[in-house]
Amino acid sequence: RKEVEQDPGPFNVPEGATVAFNCTYSNSASQSFFWYRQDCRKEPKLLMSVYSSGNEDGRFTAQLNRASQYISLLIRDSKLSDSATYLCVVNVLYGNNRLAFGKGNQVVVIP
Amino acid sequence: GAVVSQHPSRVICKSGTSVKIECRSLDFQATTMFWYRQFPKKSLMLMATSNEGSKATYEQGVEKDKFLINHASLTLSTLTVTSAHPEDSSFYICSAPDGERSSYNEQFFGPGTRLTVL
């Protein structure tokens, strides 16, 4: 079983709509969770960390479900500039900063 | 956020040559850096963990004699792809955690190096 699994999509989203996707992780001892954004042929950039209680940053909301071992990302009022691949990232062993990446959810916002 | 640079950003080389990629933390010290490889439409795969002053730790399936890593200082790690072949063509990215700036295990990524081996 892969460490982090994501449905790659693509997710075609009308501008202004809401899109949500999940990722699952296999290691129940994982401690830190992140969503990164990666544009085509660029490096990943941190979008937001995911806290146990869930957190929001503007139009982006992240949730963590430890019991079911998944995290989610919701994007409200989608903008054209939100088109990118969103990577689910999990710190596999607390303390040594080793990250495991999902394949990413590709989002295409359509005018 | 913290800044990590990589050089070169793009390299095209002939099969059989060696290519060195540099990863630098510009405004913080990094005792640990990570090297990843990403093939088109695939996820980032960790290749190795670079440790300042000691040997790198390689992931299973990554040949340490082919991908030489040197972490000579607290701000520089290098990855040398030796005797490169077309199947080594990929996007190579480094990252480093900045423990001073972030206690949440956040890592900062370099802009990546696109290697094409002819």
Side-chain angles (χ1 to χ4, degrees), chain A residues 48-66:
Chain A
M48 56 197 303
S49 302
V50 186
Y51 305 127
S52 296
S53 55
N55 48 298
E56 189 174 299
D57 183 1
R59 298 181 292 108
F60 298 84
T61 301
Q63 296 280 350
L64 168 63
N65 185 316
R66 285 190 184 273

Side-chain angles (χ1 to χ4, degrees), chain B residues 52-73:
Chain B
E52 189 269 335
S54 64
K55 291 182 180 179
T57 307
Y58 289 82
E59 295 298 302
Q60 192 172 16
V62 178
E63 298 175 59
K64 62 180 181 180
D65 294 329
K66 179 164 183 65
F67 298 99
L68 300 178
I69 290 174
N70 185 286
H71 197 144
S73 76

